[in-house]
Amino acid sequence: MTMKNNFLPPNLVSNLRQVLNNRKGDGEEEANEAAAPTSISETTTTSSEIDESKPIVLVTNGDGIDSFGLTSLVQALVKDNLYNIQVCAPQSDRSASGHAVTVCETLTVSSTEISGVSCAAYEVAGTPADCVSLALSGALFSWTKPALVISGINKGSRCGNHIFCSGAVAGAREALISGVPSLSISLDWKKDESKESDFSEAVDVCLPLIHAAIRDIEAEVFPRSCSLNIEVPTSPSTNKGFKVTKQSLWRPSPSWTAVSANRQPGAGIFIPNQQGIGLSLAQLGRDASAAGAARRLNTQRKNVEVESVGVAGKTDTQRVKRYFRLEFVEKEQRDMDEDLDFRALENGYVAITPLTLSSNTESEIQTSASNWIATALSPETN
């Protein structure tokens, strides 16, 4: 039995060598820039820029920093001039990223502006969990523990089991893991029915709750060890009031559809659009090298088996590729428990579901949240 040598195609090797040669100058510049941490240290919010008399509120979301929901919320909070508003959010839509975090890879972080307001804001080529983790680390901002983290306002309901794939809820959960009180806020957006102005109405609905939360966090009477998931009904201005709910098992039905192989190349690949071309090519080169090494090893193994049994193996050109797209489809729910999140939302209430990291404290947290809502939003308290 013989073993064949299996190398990368010569033309691919030549192309990669050319890319690497062309990158030598750029690579040295990037290395020098990395060695001198100018971007973060020069743009990090310093203590002199923070009014220490005001609580710090960190805002993130799942829909991306340019989304109308986040912009509406930040504009309203800055206008009130009661808090130091800091923003750290994904540069693109990562609403279904769950609690994914980016490990051992370089994330691009760029300072940016929120339309119509002045506040420290950064867009991150990562997930909502990345954004909150980075913001609380002290590497980006001069502070490490804000009074409150708000993830929102996000487009579409995050009720039931949908919270497990929700990047928006994950942003709030990451704060909870770090011991920081948090809220995730979503608008029950309906296609062909909802409009952008609904986000502004949702902000008006939630502002009293946000103010009460920050007030009671400072007074140390806000419910501990929980994050509040707030679901605003489709028509915010006609809501029936706030209602503390239980997390349901609701989930829209996943629908996978086969799509044409002629779909836009790379449509299912996330590449941060702020990365430099040099960094992108370098990453492609590393990926190609790793893939090539794995392919050589796998091909060698196949050759041993092929030559030992005398059967021709498949080439890469014979492999069949198919493409699929996932969409979630609404389905009718038969559970009629009025205290479940999705049912309260359907009935026009602002559903508030306490989320905790421990199942042993769920009933206690539920009671604590209910008592707090009743007290915090009462006319006597306000």
Side-chain angles (χ1 to χ4, degrees), residues 10-312:
N11 59 337
L12 178 57
V13 173
S14 176
N15 289 340
L16 289 176
R17 283 178 177 171
Q18 183 178 355
V19 168
L20 293 175
N21 288 335
N22 291 339
R23 286 192 64 256
K24 281 184 178 180
D26 294 338
E28 292 174 358
E29 293 177 3
E30 289 176 3
N32 292 333
E33 291 176 0
T38 56
S39 59
I40 295 298
S41 63
E42 291 180 357
T43 58
T44 295
T45 305
T46 62
S47 57
S48 62
E49 297 172 328
I50 292 291
D51 184 348
E52 296 182 357
S53 65
K54 298 178 181 179
I56 296 173
V57 176
L58 173 66
V59 179
T60 190
N61 73 343
D63 298 337
I65 197 163
D66 294 325
S67 69
F68 202 84
L70 181 142
T71 300
S72 299
L73 176 62
V74 172
Q75 287 175 343
L77 291 173
V78 171
K79 181 180 179 181
D80 283 345
N81 198 30
L82 297 174
Y83 319 112
N84 290 299
I85 305 301
Q86 316 278 282
V87 181
C88 187
Q91 68 176 24
S92 59
D93 188 350
R94 305 305 302 275
S95 57
S97 60
H99 208 113
V101 293
T102 307
V103 181
C104 298
E105 294 183 20
T106 301
L107 287 180
T108 302
V109 181
S110 304
S111 59
T112 186
E113 296 181 353
I114 304 299
S115 176
V117 298
S118 176
C119 66
Y122 294 91
E123 58 179 24
V124 180
T127 66
D130 284 329
C131 295
V132 175
S133 178
L134 174 61
L136 301 183
S137 70
L140 183 62
F141 297 102
S142 60
W143 46 265
T144 58
K145 190 170 183 179
L148 179 68
V149 172
I150 306 176
S151 180
I153 292 175
N154 299 284
K155 185 178 181 179
S157 167
R158 267 75 177 175
C159 289
N161 285 341
H162 204 35
I163 67 169
F164 295 113
C165 64
S166 169
V169 176
R173 189 190 302 117
E174 182 65 26
L176 175 61
I177 292 172
S178 300
V180 179
S182 61
L183 310 174
S184 54
I185 307 175
S186 300
L187 170 66
D188 189 21
W189 182 274
K190 299 295 185 183
K191 185 178 180 181
D192 300 327
E193 179 179 347
S194 299
K195 51 190 181 298
E196 287 188 342
S197 60
D198 292 336
F199 284 109
S200 297
E201 293 183 4
V203 171
D204 293 337
V205 169
C206 293
L207 276 179
L209 188 67
I210 294 172
H211 294 325
I214 297 174
R215 178 197 66 211
D216 290 348
I217 288 169
E218 293 187 309
E220 298 185 351
V221 294
F222 185 78
R224 296 180 179 273
S225 304
C226 79
S227 174
L228 300 182
N229 183 38
I230 303 168
E231 302 286 332
V232 182
T234 304
S235 180
S237 60
T238 59
N239 77 85
K240 296 180 180 179
F242 294 95
K243 185 173 186 178
V244 177
T245 59
K246 298 179 293 185
Q247 182 186 342
S248 66
L249 298 179
W250 176 87
R251 182 196 180 192
S253 299
S255 176
W256 286 96
T257 306
V259 297
S260 170
N262 295 324
R263 63 117 170 79
Q264 182 180 354
I269 302 174
F270 172 72
I271 299 178
N273 56 27
Q274 297 296 328
Q275 282 187 322
I277 186 64
L279 184 58
S280 298
L281 289 175
Q283 182 65 52
L284 289 174
R286 288 192 294 270
D287 293 345
S289 298
R295 189 180 296 112
R296 289 197 299 273
L297 179 60
N298 291 334
T299 307
Q300 286 172 353
R301 291 173 177 169
K302 290 179 181 178
N303 282 344
V304 172
E305 297 174 358
V306 167
E307 294 184 6
S308 63
V309 298
V311 179

